[in-house]
PDB file of all heavy atoms in Angstrom:
ATOM      1  N   LYS A 178     -10.638  25.659 -17.766  1.00  0.00           N
ATOM      2  CA  LYS A 178     -10.278  25.791 -19.186  1.00  0.00           C
ATOM      3  C   LYS A 178      -8.809  26.170 -19.331  1.00  0.00           C
ATOM      4  O   LYS A 178      -8.431  26.825 -20.279  1.00  0.00           O
ATOM      5  CB  LYS A 178     -11.140  26.871 -19.847  1.00  0.00           C
ATOM      6  CG  LYS A 178     -12.619  26.666 -19.683  1.00  0.00           C
ATOM      7  CD  LYS A 178     -13.087  25.500 -20.507  1.00  0.00           C
ATOM      8  CE  LYS A 178     -14.590  25.385 -20.420  1.00  0.00           C
ATOM      9  NZ  LYS A 178     -15.078  24.075 -20.737  1.00  0.00           N
ATOM     10  N   CYS A 179      -7.981  25.753 -18.401  1.00  0.00           N
ATOM     11  CA  CYS A 179      -6.583  26.170 -18.391  1.00  0.00           C
ATOM     12  C   CYS A 179      -5.676  25.059 -18.881  1.00  0.00           C
ATOM     13  O   CYS A 179      -5.968  23.879 -18.726  1.00  0.00           O
ATOM     14  CB  CYS A 179      -6.167  26.542 -16.977  1.00  0.00           C
ATOM     15  SG  CYS A 179      -7.206  27.813 -16.241  1.00  0.00           S
ATOM     16  N   SER A 180      -4.540  25.447 -19.430  1.00  0.00           N
ATOM     17  CA  SER A 180      -3.502  24.487 -19.765  1.00  0.00           C
ATOM     18  C   SER A 180      -2.634  24.289 -18.534  1.00  0.00           C
ATOM     19  O   SER A 180      -2.354  25.233 -17.804  1.00  0.00           O
ATOM     20  CB  SER A 180      -2.654  25.014 -20.922  1.00  0.00           C
ATOM     21  OG  SER A 180      -3.444  25.151 -22.079  1.00  0.00           O
ATOM     22  N   VAL A 181      -2.217  23.029 -18.306  1.00  0.00           N
ATOM     23  CA  VAL A 181      -1.459  22.722 -17.101  1.00  0.00           C
ATOM     24  C   VAL A 181      -0.210  21.914 -17.457  1.00  0.00           C
ATOM     25  O   VAL A 181      -0.205  21.133 -18.404  1.00  0.00           O
ATOM     26  CB  VAL A 181      -2.305  21.945 -16.069  1.00  0.00           C
ATOM     27  CG1 VAL A 181      -3.377  22.826 -15.470  1.00  0.00           C
ATOM     28  CG2 VAL A 181      -2.915  20.705 -16.685  1.00  0.00           C
ATOM     29  N   LEU A 182       0.838  22.117 -16.674  1.00  0.00           N
ATOM     30  CA  LEU A 182       2.074  21.376 -16.843  1.00  0.00           C
ATOM     31  C   LEU A 182       1.932  20.025 -16.141  1.00  0.00           C
ATOM     32  O   LEU A 182       1.740  19.966 -14.935  1.00  0.00           O
ATOM     33  CB  LEU A 182       3.244  22.151 -16.234  1.00  0.00           C
ATOM     34  CG  LEU A 182       4.603  21.480 -16.337  1.00  0.00           C
ATOM     35  CD1 LEU A 182       5.079  21.487 -17.784  1.00  0.00           C
ATOM     36  CD2 LEU A 182       5.614  22.178 -15.445  1.00  0.00           C
ATOM     37  N   LEU A 183       2.004  18.953 -16.917  1.00  0.00           N
ATOM     38  CA  LEU A 183       1.905  17.611 -16.342  1.00  0.00           C
ATOM     39  C   LEU A 183       3.257  17.153 -15.807  1.00  0.00           C
ATOM     40  O   LEU A 183       3.340  16.627 -14.701  1.00  0.00           O
ATOM     41  CB  LEU A 183       1.391  16.618 -17.383  1.00  0.00           C
ATOM     42  CG  LEU A 183      -0.017  16.894 -17.915  1.00  0.00           C
ATOM     43  CD1 LEU A 183      -0.392  15.858 -18.957  1.00  0.00           C
ATOM     44  CD2 LEU A 183      -1.034  16.907 -16.785  1.00  0.00           C
ATOM     45  N   ALA A 184       4.313  17.329 -16.590  1.00  0.00           N
ATOM     46  CA  ALA A 184       5.644  16.912 -16.162  1.00  0.00           C
ATOM     47  C   ALA A 184       6.698  17.666 -16.960  1.00  0.00           C
ATOM     48  O   ALA A 184       6.507  17.930 -18.142  1.00  0.00           O
ATOM     49  CB  ALA A 184       5.814  15.408 -16.348  1.00  0.00           C
ATOM     50  N   LYS A 185       7.809  17.968 -16.285  1.00  0.00           N
ATOM     51  CA  LYS A 185       8.917  18.668 -16.949  1.00  0.00           C
ATOM     52  C   LYS A 185      10.203  18.322 -16.219  1.00  0.00           C
ATOM     53  O   LYS A 185      10.220  18.224 -14.998  1.00  0.00           O
ATOM     54  CB  LYS A 185       8.694  20.182 -16.920  1.00  0.00           C
ATOM     55  CG  LYS A 185       9.833  20.985 -17.548  1.00  0.00           C
ATOM     56  CD  LYS A 185       9.512  22.466 -17.548  1.00  0.00           C
ATOM     57  CE  LYS A 185      10.671  23.303 -18.051  1.00  0.00           C
ATOM     58  NZ  LYS A 185      11.057  23.033 -19.410  1.00  0.00           N
ATOM     59  N   ASP A 186      11.248  18.124 -16.991  1.00  0.00           N
ATOM     60  CA  ASP A 186      12.586  17.944 -16.439  1.00  0.00           C
ATOM     61  C   ASP A 186      13.134  19.347 -16.172  1.00  0.00           C
ATOM     62  O   ASP A 186      13.451  20.074 -17.110  1.00  0.00           O
ATOM     63  CB  ASP A 186      13.459  17.189 -17.451  1.00  0.00           C
ATOM     64  CG  ASP A 186      14.915  17.071 -17.012  1.00  0.00           C
ATOM     65  OD1 ASP A 186      15.333  17.740 -16.054  1.00  0.00           O
ATOM     66  OD2 ASP A 186      15.636  16.310 -17.664  1.00  0.00           O
ATOM     67  N   PHE A 187      13.252  19.721 -14.898  1.00  0.00           N
ATOM     68  CA  PHE A 187      13.674  21.074 -14.548  1.00  0.00           C
ATOM     69  C   PHE A 187      15.187  21.220 -14.433  1.00  0.00           C
ATOM     70  O   PHE A 187      15.679  22.316 -14.235  1.00  0.00           O
ATOM     71  CB  PHE A 187      13.009  21.518 -13.241  1.00  0.00           C
ATOM     72  CG  PHE A 187      11.573  21.916 -13.424  1.00  0.00           C
ATOM     73  CD1 PHE A 187      10.557  21.006 -13.187  1.00  0.00           C
ATOM     74  CD2 PHE A 187      11.239  23.185 -13.855  1.00  0.00           C
ATOM     75  CE1 PHE A 187       9.232  21.366 -13.365  1.00  0.00           C
ATOM     76  CE2 PHE A 187       9.924  23.559 -14.038  1.00  0.00           C
ATOM     77  CZ  PHE A 187       8.911  22.642 -13.791  1.00  0.00           C
ATOM     78  N   VAL A 188      15.936  20.122 -14.578  1.00  0.00           N
ATOM     79  CA  VAL A 188      17.393  20.194 -14.481  1.00  0.00           C
ATOM     80  C   VAL A 188      18.042  20.185 -15.862  1.00  0.00           C
ATOM     81  O   VAL A 188      18.824  21.058 -16.197  1.00  0.00           O
ATOM     82  CB  VAL A 188      17.937  19.042 -13.607  1.00  0.00           C
ATOM     83  CG1 VAL A 188      19.458  19.055 -13.590  1.00  0.00           C
ATOM     84  CG2 VAL A 188      17.391  19.157 -12.185  1.00  0.00           C
ATOM     85  N   HIS A 189      17.715  19.187 -16.687  1.00  0.00           N
ATOM     86  CA  HIS A 189      18.339  19.051 -18.004  1.00  0.00           C
ATOM     87  C   HIS A 189      17.423  19.477 -19.149  1.00  0.00           C
ATOM     88  O   HIS A 189      17.840  19.446 -20.295  1.00  0.00           O
ATOM     89  CB  HIS A 189      18.771  17.600 -18.240  1.00  0.00           C
ATOM     90  CG  HIS A 189      19.622  17.059 -17.136  1.00  0.00           C
ATOM     91  ND1 HIS A 189      20.879  17.547 -16.856  1.00  0.00           N
ATOM     92  CD2 HIS A 189      19.388  16.072 -16.232  1.00  0.00           C
ATOM     93  CE1 HIS A 189      21.381  16.887 -15.831  1.00  0.00           C
ATOM     94  NE2 HIS A 189      20.500  15.989 -15.431  1.00  0.00           N
ATOM     95  N   ASN A 190      16.193  19.812 -18.843  1.00  0.00           N
ATOM     96  CA  ASN A 190      15.201  20.217 -19.851  1.00  0.00           C
ATOM     97  C   ASN A 190      15.065  19.160 -20.959  1.00  0.00           C
ATOM     98  O   ASN A 190      14.964  19.483 -22.136  1.00  0.00           O
ATOM     99  CB  ASN A 190      15.556  21.577 -20.444  1.00  0.00           C
ATOM    100  CG  ASN A 190      14.353  22.246 -21.079  1.00  0.00           C
ATOM    101  OD1 ASN A 190      13.206  21.961 -20.725  1.00  0.00           O
ATOM    102  ND2 ASN A 190      14.587  23.133 -22.023  1.00  0.00           N
ATOM    103  N   ALA A 191      15.053  17.885 -20.566  1.00  0.00           N
ATOM    104  CA  ALA A 191      14.982  16.789 -21.532  1.00  0.00           C
ATOM    105  C   ALA A 191      13.584  16.604 -22.096  1.00  0.00           C
ATOM    106  O   ALA A 191      13.431  16.058 -23.182  1.00  0.00           O
ATOM    107  CB  ALA A 191      15.446  15.478 -20.891  1.00  0.00           C
ATOM    108  N   PHE A 192      12.565  17.064 -21.366  1.00  0.00           N
ATOM    109  CA  PHE A 192      11.192  16.884 -21.845  1.00  0.00           C
ATOM    110  C   PHE A 192      10.253  17.836 -21.124  1.00  0.00           C
ATOM    111  O   PHE A 192      10.541  18.314 -20.028  1.00  0.00           O
ATOM    112  CB  PHE A 192      10.725  15.435 -21.628  1.00  0.00           C
ATOM    113  CG  PHE A 192      10.493  15.110 -20.170  1.00  0.00           C
ATOM    114  CD1 PHE A 192       9.243  15.240 -19.604  1.00  0.00           C
ATOM    115  CD2 PHE A 192      11.546  14.689 -19.373  1.00  0.00           C
ATOM    116  CE1 PHE A 192       9.039  14.955 -18.264  1.00  0.00           C
ATOM    117  CE2 PHE A 192      11.349  14.394 -18.042  1.00  0.00           C
ATOM    118  CZ  PHE A 192      10.092  14.526 -17.479  1.00  0.00           C
ATOM    119  N   THR A 193       9.130  18.094 -21.779  1.00  0.00           N
ATOM    120  CA  THR A 193       8.017  18.845 -21.198  1.00  0.00           C
ATOM    121  C   THR A 193       6.736  18.225 -21.720  1.00  0.00           C
ATOM    122  O   THR A 193       6.622  17.946 -22.912  1.00  0.00           O
ATOM    123  CB  THR A 193       8.067  20.334 -21.607  1.00  0.00           C
ATOM    124  OG1 THR A 193       9.309  20.893 -21.207  1.00  0.00           O
ATOM    125  CG2 THR A 193       6.920  21.129 -20.987  1.00  0.00           C
ATOM    126  N   VAL A 194       5.767  18.011 -20.832  1.00  0.00           N
ATOM    127  CA  VAL A 194       4.458  17.495 -21.237  1.00  0.00           C
ATOM    128  C   VAL A 194       3.402  18.421 -20.653  1.00  0.00           C
ATOM    129  O   VAL A 194       3.335  18.608 -19.433  1.00  0.00           O
ATOM    130  CB  VAL A 194       4.217  16.049 -20.743  1.00  0.00           C
ATOM    131  CG1 VAL A 194       2.857  15.543 -21.210  1.00  0.00           C
ATOM    132  CG2 VAL A 194       5.324  15.121 -21.217  1.00  0.00           C
ATOM    133  N   ILE A 195       2.593  19.018 -21.540  1.00  0.00           N
ATOM    134  CA  ILE A 195       1.559  19.966 -21.122  1.00  0.00           C
ATOM    135  C   ILE A 195       0.207  19.487 -21.642  1.00  0.00           C
ATOM    136  O   ILE A 195       0.102  19.066 -22.798  1.00  0.00           O
ATOM    137  CB  ILE A 195       1.853  21.388 -21.657  1.00  0.00           C
ATOM    138  CG1 ILE A 195       3.145  21.922 -21.045  1.00  0.00           C
ATOM    139  CG2 ILE A 195       0.686  22.340 -21.393  1.00  0.00           C
ATOM    140  CD1 ILE A 195       3.608  23.245 -21.618  1.00  0.00           C
ATOM    141  N   LEU A 196      -0.801  19.563 -20.790  1.00  0.00           N
ATOM    142  CA  LEU A 196      -2.179  19.298 -21.210  1.00  0.00           C
ATOM    143  C   LEU A 196      -2.798  20.648 -21.552  1.00  0.00           C
ATOM    144  O   LEU A 196      -3.000  21.482 -20.678  1.00  0.00           O
ATOM    145  CB  LEU A 196      -2.962  18.601 -20.099  1.00  0.00           C
ATOM    146  CG  LEU A 196      -4.394  18.207 -20.426  1.00  0.00           C
ATOM    147  CD1 LEU A 196      -4.421  17.153 -21.530  1.00  0.00           C
ATOM    148  CD2 LEU A 196      -5.095  17.680 -19.187  1.00  0.00           C
ATOM    149  N   ASN A 197      -3.039  20.871 -22.843  1.00  0.00           N
ATOM    150  CA  ASN A 197      -3.545  22.161 -23.314  1.00  0.00           C
ATOM    151  C   ASN A 197      -5.053  22.179 -23.372  1.00  0.00           C
ATOM    152  O   ASN A 197      -5.675  21.208 -23.821  1.00  0.00           O
ATOM    153  CB  ASN A 197      -3.019  22.463 -24.721  1.00  0.00           C
ATOM    154  CG  ASN A 197      -1.654  23.085 -24.702  1.00  0.00           C
ATOM    155  OD1 ASN A 197      -1.323  23.850 -23.811  1.00  0.00           O
ATOM    156  ND2 ASN A 197      -0.848  22.737 -25.676  1.00  0.00           N
ATOM    157  N   ALA A 198      -5.633  23.281 -22.958  1.00  0.00           N
ATOM    158  CA  ALA A 198      -7.065  23.498 -23.134  1.00  0.00           C
ATOM    159  C   ALA A 198      -7.272  24.057 -24.531  1.00  0.00           C
ATOM    160  O   ALA A 198      -6.592  24.976 -24.945  1.00  0.00           O
ATOM    161  CB  ALA A 198      -7.578  24.478 -22.090  1.00  0.00           C
ATOM    162  N   GLU A 199      -8.174  23.455 -25.270  1.00  0.00           N
ATOM    163  CA  GLU A 199      -8.484  23.907 -26.623  1.00  0.00           C
ATOM    164  C   GLU A 199      -9.909  24.462 -26.630  1.00  0.00           C
ATOM    165  O   GLU A 199     -10.636  24.369 -25.651  1.00  0.00           O
ATOM    166  CB  GLU A 199      -8.372  22.745 -27.616  1.00  0.00           C
ATOM    167  CG  GLU A 199      -7.014  22.093 -27.668  1.00  0.00           C
ATOM    168  CD  GLU A 199      -5.950  22.959 -28.316  1.00  0.00           C
ATOM    169  OE1 GLU A 199      -6.314  23.875 -29.080  1.00  0.00           O
ATOM    170  OE2 GLU A 199      -4.768  22.730 -28.055  1.00  0.00           O
ATOM    171  N   THR A 200     -10.305  25.022 -27.745  1.00  0.00           N
ATOM    172  CA  THR A 200     -11.678  25.478 -27.872  1.00  0.00           C
ATOM    173  C   THR A 200     -12.599  24.274 -27.973  1.00  0.00           C
ATOM    174  O   THR A 200     -12.170  23.159 -28.189  1.00  0.00           O
ATOM    175  CB  THR A 200     -11.840  26.364 -29.120  1.00  0.00           C
ATOM    176  OG1 THR A 200     -11.405  25.615 -30.252  1.00  0.00           O
ATOM    177  CG2 THR A 200     -11.032  27.636 -29.006  1.00  0.00           C
ATOM    178  N   SER A 201     -13.861  24.469 -27.819  1.00  0.00           N
ATOM    179  CA  SER A 201     -14.917  23.450 -27.883  1.00  0.00           C
ATOM    180  C   SER A 201     -14.694  22.339 -26.855  1.00  0.00           C
ATOM    181  O   SER A 201     -14.939  21.168 -27.116  1.00  0.00           O
ATOM    182  CB  SER A 201     -15.057  22.864 -29.295  1.00  0.00           C
ATOM    183  OG  SER A 201     -13.933  22.068 -29.613  1.00  0.00           O
ATOM    184  N   ASN A 202     -14.250  22.733 -25.649  1.00  0.00           N
ATOM    185  CA  ASN A 202     -14.127  21.814 -24.515  1.00  0.00           C
ATOM    186  C   ASN A 202     -13.296  20.571 -24.799  1.00  0.00           C
ATOM    187  O   ASN A 202     -13.577  19.496 -24.272  1.00  0.00           O
ATOM    188  CB  ASN A 202     -15.513  21.399 -24.009  1.00  0.00           C
ATOM    189  CG  ASN A 202     -16.261  22.562 -23.411  1.00  0.00           C
ATOM    190  OD1 ASN A 202     -15.646  23.456 -22.836  1.00  0.00           O
ATOM    191  ND2 ASN A 202     -17.566  22.562 -23.541  1.00  0.00           N
ATOM    192  N   SER A 203     -12.293  20.682 -25.642  1.00  0.00           N
ATOM    193  CA  SER A 203     -11.410  19.544 -25.875  1.00  0.00           C
ATOM    194  C   SER A 203     -10.021  19.899 -25.369  1.00  0.00           C
ATOM    195  O   SER A 203      -9.734  21.040 -25.039  1.00  0.00           O
ATOM    196  CB  SER A 203     -11.383  19.172 -27.354  1.00  0.00           C
ATOM    197  OG  SER A 203     -10.771  20.194 -28.099  1.00  0.00           O
ATOM    198  N   ARG A 204      -9.175  18.904 -25.298  1.00  0.00           N
ATOM    199  CA  ARG A 204      -7.815  19.115 -24.827  1.00  0.00           C
ATOM    200  C   ARG A 204      -6.833  18.485 -25.801  1.00  0.00           C
ATOM    201  O   ARG A 204      -7.164  17.570 -26.528  1.00  0.00           O
ATOM    202  CB  ARG A 204      -7.632  18.499 -23.439  1.00  0.00           C
ATOM    203  CG  ARG A 204      -8.460  19.202 -22.373  1.00  0.00           C
ATOM    204  CD  ARG A 204      -8.031  18.748 -20.999  1.00  0.00           C
ATOM    205  NE  ARG A 204      -8.774  19.384 -19.951  1.00  0.00           N
ATOM    206  CZ  ARG A 204      -8.411  20.511 -19.347  1.00  0.00           C
ATOM    207  NH1 ARG A 204      -7.323  21.128 -19.719  1.00  0.00           N
ATOM    208  NH2 ARG A 204      -9.129  21.029 -18.386  1.00  0.00           N
ATOM    209  N   SER A 205      -5.621  18.996 -25.788  1.00  0.00           N
ATOM    210  CA  SER A 205      -4.551  18.400 -26.589  1.00  0.00           C
ATOM    211  C   SER A 205      -3.356  18.185 -25.678  1.00  0.00           C
ATOM    212  O   SER A 205      -3.247  18.786 -24.612  1.00  0.00           O
ATOM    213  CB  SER A 205      -4.182  19.304 -27.764  1.00  0.00           C
ATOM    214  OG  SER A 205      -3.579  20.491 -27.305  1.00  0.00           O
ATOM    215  N   LEU A 206      -2.469  17.329 -26.125  1.00  0.00           N
ATOM    216  CA  LEU A 206      -1.271  17.029 -25.368  1.00  0.00           C
ATOM    217  C   LEU A 206      -0.078  17.601 -26.122  1.00  0.00           C
ATOM    218  O   LEU A 206       0.107  17.321 -27.304  1.00  0.00           O
ATOM    219  CB  LEU A 206      -1.133  15.517 -25.218  1.00  0.00           C
ATOM    220  CG  LEU A 206      -0.298  15.005 -24.061  1.00  0.00           C
ATOM    221  CD1 LEU A 206      -0.861  15.510 -22.738  1.00  0.00           C
ATOM    222  CD2 LEU A 206      -0.271  13.496 -24.068  1.00  0.00           C
ATOM    223  N   TYR A 207       0.713  18.428 -25.450  1.00  0.00           N
ATOM    224  CA  TYR A 207       1.899  19.063 -26.013  1.00  0.00           C
ATOM    225  C   TYR A 207       3.106  18.338 -25.431  1.00  0.00           C
ATOM    226  O   TYR A 207       3.289  18.295 -24.209  1.00  0.00           O
ATOM    227  CB  TYR A 207       1.900  20.541 -25.611  1.00  0.00           C
ATOM    228  CG  TYR A 207       3.164  21.313 -25.884  1.00  0.00           C
ATOM    229  CD1 TYR A 207       3.278  22.099 -27.017  1.00  0.00           C
ATOM    230  CD2 TYR A 207       4.229  21.288 -24.991  1.00  0.00           C
ATOM    231  CE1 TYR A 207       4.434  22.841 -27.251  1.00  0.00           C
ATOM    232  CE2 TYR A 207       5.379  22.016 -25.213  1.00  0.00           C
ATOM    233  CZ  TYR A 207       5.476  22.791 -26.345  1.00  0.00           C
ATOM    234  OH  TYR A 207       6.609  23.527 -26.580  1.00  0.00           O
ATOM    235  N   VAL A 208       3.908  17.727 -26.299  1.00  0.00           N
ATOM    236  CA  VAL A 208       5.080  16.986 -25.852  1.00  0.00           C
ATOM    237  C   VAL A 208       6.305  17.607 -26.516  1.00  0.00           C
ATOM    238  O   VAL A 208       6.368  17.691 -27.737  1.00  0.00           O
ATOM    239  CB  VAL A 208       4.978  15.492 -26.234  1.00  0.00           C
ATOM    240  CG1 VAL A 208       6.187  14.731 -25.737  1.00  0.00           C
ATOM    241  CG2 VAL A 208       3.694  14.887 -25.706  1.00  0.00           C
ATOM    242  N   GLU A 209       7.271  18.038 -25.717  1.00  0.00           N
ATOM    243  CA  GLU A 209       8.496  18.635 -26.241  1.00  0.00           C
ATOM    244  C   GLU A 209       9.685  17.788 -25.823  1.00  0.00           C
ATOM    245  O   GLU A 209       9.859  17.484 -24.637  1.00  0.00           O
ATOM    246  CB  GLU A 209       8.654  20.051 -25.698  1.00  0.00           C
ATOM    247  CG  GLU A 209       9.891  20.760 -26.188  1.00  0.00           C
ATOM    248  CD  GLU A 209      10.059  22.134 -25.557  1.00  0.00           C
ATOM    249  OE1 GLU A 209       9.040  22.804 -25.315  1.00  0.00           O
ATOM    250  OE2 GLU A 209      11.213  22.507 -25.307  1.00  0.00           O
TER     251      GLU A 209
END
C-alpha cells in the first residue's frame, strides 16, 4: 500500500513520476 517513485530526473529536476497508493485499493499517478 505504498507510494513509489517510478522515475525522476535527479540532475536537472525536469520531471518526477510517482505511483501513489490511495484509499480503497486504488492508485493514482503523480506527474510533476
Side-chain angles (χ1 to χ4, degrees):
K178 306 289 185 202
C179 304
S180 297
V181 290
L182 180 70
L183 298 179
K185 178 177 175 62
D186 175 348
F187 283 96
V188 176
H189 307 294
N190 201 24
F192 71 93
T193 303
V194 181
I195 296 174
L196 183 65
N197 276 325
E199 301 289 338
T200 56
S201 70
N202 294 328
S203 67
R204 294 192 180 269
S205 68
L206 203 58
Y207 169 98
V208 181
E209 180 184 325

